[in-house]
Amino acid sequence: MQAGIGRGITAVALACVLAGCGQDAPEVDGPVAGAPQAQFYTPAPESVPGARASVIRVEPLSGPQAVPGARNYLALYRSVDARGATVAVSGTLAVPEGTPPPGGWPLISWAPGTSGIADVCAPSRSEGSSPSRDDQARWIAAGYAVARTDYQGLGTPGEHGYLIGETEQRAVADLAVAARAIDASVGSRWVAMGHSQGGHAALFAASASGGWAPDTPLLGAVALAPVSHLGQQVRMAKWTVSNPLGKVGAGDLAVYVPLLVRGAQTVTAVDPGRFLTERAVSLLPIADSECSAGLRDRGKWGGLSTKDVFSRDGDLSALLGVLDDNDPSGLSFTTPVLVLQGRDDLTVLPASTDAMVSDQQKNGQDVDYRKFDETDHSEIVAASFADALAWVDARFGIRR
């Protein structure tokens, strides 16, 4: 059985995902009261061309998204999508009040966790996506500026390349550069940080940002419960369709299938009709308008079994090719990496992260791996803060 799944994660561990064990991921709803108006996110087409990492427009940010103890900004900046086109990307920046240290405030460019692919799910427009306002406030209190991207096509025109590592890292790195134009007190040195989907993005930043943003020194990357081995999980789910384990529910994985399909379609031709059931294909458009909480509804993707999702004789090769190409296990890093994982995480399984880090370390990569007892997927951000702060302080040479 395992030969058909791939190495790295046991079938038992994957069965937990398929059975719906992991229900502790943040649930992201639609726009919050007082969130920025939708028109901010749609620039005039003639304003988009320009140098990547440059700013299109910026305005003060207030209300529920503003981080206490900071100057808060909502910005549109230029980045590049999967097809090489310059696009507008939204994001936020929180800068500590007071006098910055020599060289400017050290910067965390934070990649958010999964919220969905619909524009209303952009972290700057919704609640529930990590990092929360409180998470950001801890870093502000510690003397760090915090930039948070919405990624390409999430909030802004275009398609969101969900878990496409190269476009994720572009969004993270370009906002790190743009932050200095938004607020001159922000320094040029930065650390990439992210949770879940964002942990995946942080790892790709550690691999590619040195070449993408060479004049803005990346000092390290912190990946909290980073997504990996999705190709294996999808293979396992497909395997269950024609085997006894096919009776278990698809659980969390089913919720992510429409996001994975839409993400893959931003880089190559993927016909979902070749591997999804008619019912699953009919439900795909839900992901274009609803956030993760809506997808989890038992009457939508959250209620589907494996056999409801994948057709028996379907051809998954196009989707699997994208997932395998974007697995972070084989990345080479140009900067030190810290990986933080909760032992009770039922969304990004510890076995998955164990296998990913093992592969990276075997390949000689500089990865510091720390696990936390009695900590689930959503709890890891707060539970690991002291470790993350000490590690990031060391990158910047900060002594407390």
Coordinates of all heavy atoms in Angstrom, one line a residue, residues 144 189-191 218-222 335-338 366 368 370 387-398:
Y144 N 9.4 45.2 16.4 CA 9.5 44.8 15.0 C 8.3 45.4 14.2 O 7.2 45.5 14.7 CB 9.4 43.2 14.8 CG 10.7 42.5 15.2 CD1 10.9 42.1 16.5 CD2 11.6 42.3 14.3 CE1 12.0 41.5 16.9 CE2 12.8 41.6 14.6 CZ 13.0 41.2 16.0 OH 14.2 40.6 16.3
R189 N 16.6 45.2 6.3 CA 16.7 43.8 6.7 C 15.4 43.2 7.2 O 14.7 43.9 7.8 CB 17.8 43.7 7.7 CG 19.2 44.2 7.3 CD 20.3 43.9 8.3 NE 20.0 44.4 9.6 CZ 20.5 44.0 10.7 NH1 21.4 43.0 10.7 NH2 20.2 44.6 11.9
W190 N 15.2 41.9 6.8 CA 13.9 41.3 7.1 C 14.0 39.8 7.3 O 15.0 39.2 7.0 CB 12.9 41.6 6.1 CG 13.2 41.0 4.7 CD1 14.2 41.4 3.8 CD2 12.4 40.0 4.0 NE1 14.1 40.7 2.7 CE2 13.1 39.8 2.8 CE3 11.3 39.3 4.3 CZ2 12.6 38.9 1.9 CZ3 10.8 38.3 3.4 CH2 11.5 38.2 2.2
V191 N 13.0 39.3 8.0 CA 12.8 37.9 8.2 C 11.5 37.5 7.6 O 10.5 38.2 7.8 CB 12.9 37.5 9.6 CG1 12.3 36.1 9.9 CG2 14.4 37.5 10.1
L218 N 17.5 39.2 3.3 CA 16.7 38.3 4.1 C 17.6 37.6 5.0 O 18.6 36.9 4.6 CB 16.0 37.3 3.1 CG 15.2 36.1 3.8 CD1 14.0 36.7 4.5 CD2 14.8 35.1 2.8
L219 N 17.4 37.7 6.3 CA 18.2 37.1 7.3 C 17.8 35.7 7.8 O 18.6 35.0 8.4 CB 18.2 38.0 8.6 CG 18.6 39.5 8.3 CD1 18.7 40.3 9.6 CD2 20.0 39.6 7.6
G220 N 16.6 35.3 7.5 CA 16.2 34.0 7.9 C 14.7 33.8 7.6 O 14.0 34.8 7.2
A221 N 14.2 32.6 7.9 CA 12.7 32.4 7.7 C 12.2 31.5 8.8 O 12.9 30.5 9.2 CB 12.5 31.7 6.3
V222 N 11.0 31.8 9.3 CA 10.4 31.0 10.3 C 9.1 30.4 9.7 O 8.2 31.2 9.3 CB 10.0 31.9 11.5 CG1 9.3 31.1 12.6 CG2 11.3 32.6 12.1
T335 N 19.4 30.9 3.4 CA 19.4 31.6 4.7 C 19.0 30.6 5.7 O 18.3 29.6 5.4 CB 18.5 32.8 4.6 OG1 18.6 33.5 5.8 CG2 17.0 32.4 4.4
P336 N 19.3 30.8 7.0 CA 18.8 29.8 8.1 C 17.3 29.8 8.2 O 16.6 30.7 7.9 CB 19.4 30.4 9.4 CG 20.6 31.2 8.9 CD 20.2 31.8 7.6
V337 N 16.8 28.6 8.6 CA 15.3 28.3 8.7 C 15.0 27.8 10.0 O 15.7 26.9 10.5 CB 14.9 27.4 7.5 CG1 13.5 26.9 7.8 CG2 15.0 28.0 6.2
L338 N 13.9 28.2 10.6 CA 13.4 27.7 11.9 C 12.0 27.1 11.5 O 11.1 27.9 11.0 CB 13.3 28.8 12.9 CG 12.5 28.4 14.2 CD1 13.3 27.3 15.0 CD2 12.3 29.6 15.1
D366 N 20.2 24.2 6.4 CA 20.3 24.8 7.8 C 18.9 25.0 8.3 O 18.3 26.0 8.2 CB 21.1 26.1 7.7 CG 21.3 26.7 9.1 OD1 20.9 26.1 10.1 OD2 21.9 27.8 9.2
D368 N 16.5 24.5 11.8 CA 16.3 24.3 13.2 C 14.9 23.9 13.4 O 14.0 24.6 13.1 CB 16.7 25.6 13.9 CG 16.6 25.5 15.5 OD1 16.0 24.5 16.0 OD2 17.0 26.4 16.1
R370 N 11.8 22.6 15.9 CA 11.3 22.5 17.3 C 9.8 22.1 17.3 O 9.0 22.7 16.6 CB 11.5 23.8 18.0 CG 13.0 24.3 17.9 CD 13.2 25.6 18.6 NE 14.5 26.2 18.2 CZ 14.9 27.4 18.7 NH1 14.2 28.1 19.6 NH2 16.1 27.8 18.3
D387 N 10.2 31.2 21.5 CA 11.3 30.6 20.7 C 11.5 31.4 19.4 O 12.7 31.6 19.0 CB 10.9 29.2 20.3 CG 11.0 28.2 21.5 OD1 10.4 28.5 22.5 OD2 11.8 27.3 21.4
A388 N 10.4 31.8 18.7 CA 10.5 32.5 17.5 C 11.2 33.9 17.7 O 12.1 34.3 16.9 CB 9.2 32.7 16.8
L389 N 10.8 34.5 18.8 CA 11.4 35.9 19.1 C 12.9 35.7 19.3 O 13.7 36.5 18.8 CB 10.7 36.5 20.3 CG 11.3 37.8 20.7 CD1 11.2 38.9 19.6 CD2 10.5 38.3 22.0
A390 N 13.3 34.8 20.1 CA 14.7 34.6 20.4 C 15.5 34.3 19.2 O 16.6 34.8 19.0 CB 14.9 33.5 21.5
W391 N 15.0 33.5 18.3 CA 15.6 33.1 17.1 C 15.7 34.3 16.1 O 16.8 34.5 15.5 CB 14.9 31.9 16.4 CG 15.6 31.3 15.3 CD1 16.5 30.2 15.4 CD2 15.5 31.6 13.9 NE1 16.9 29.8 14.1 CE2 16.3 30.7 13.2 CE3 14.8 32.5 13.2 CZ2 16.5 30.7 11.8 CZ3 14.9 32.5 11.8 CH2 15.8 31.6 11.1
V392 N 14.7 35.0 16.0 CA 14.7 36.2 15.1 C 15.6 37.3 15.7 O 16.3 37.9 14.9 CB 13.2 36.7 14.9 CG1 13.3 38.0 14.1 CG2 12.4 35.7 14.1
D393 N 15.5 37.5 17.0 CA 16.5 38.5 17.6 C 17.9 38.1 17.2 O 18.7 39.0 16.9 CB 16.3 38.4 19.1 CG 15.1 39.3 19.6 OD1 14.5 40.0 18.8 OD2 14.8 39.1 20.8
A394 N 18.2 36.8 17.3 CA 19.6 36.4 17.0 C 20.0 36.7 15.5 O 21.1 37.1 15.2 CB 19.8 34.9 17.3
R395 N 19.0 36.6 14.6 CA 19.3 37.0 13.2 C 19.7 38.4 13.1 O 20.5 38.8 12.3 CB 18.1 36.6 12.3 CG 17.6 35.2 12.5 CD 18.4 34.2 11.7 NE 19.6 33.8 12.4 CZ 19.6 32.9 13.5 NH1 18.5 32.5 14.0 NH2 20.8 32.6 14.0
F396 N 19.0 39.3 13.8 CA 19.2 40.7 13.8 C 20.3 41.2 14.7 O 20.6 42.4 14.7 CB 17.9 41.5 14.1 CG 16.9 41.5 12.9 CD1 15.9 40.6 12.9 CD2 17.0 42.4 11.9 CE1 15.0 40.6 11.8 CE2 16.1 42.4 10.9 CZ 15.1 41.5 10.8
G397 N 20.8 40.3 15.5 CA 21.8 40.7 16.5 C 21.3 41.5 17.6 O 22.0 42.4 18.2
I398 N 20.0 41.3 18.0 CA 19.3 42.0 19.0 C 19.5 41.3 20.4 O 19.3 40.1 20.5 CB 17.8 42.2 18.7 CG1 17.6 43.1 17.5 CG2 17.1 42.8 19.9 CD1 16.2 43.1 17.0

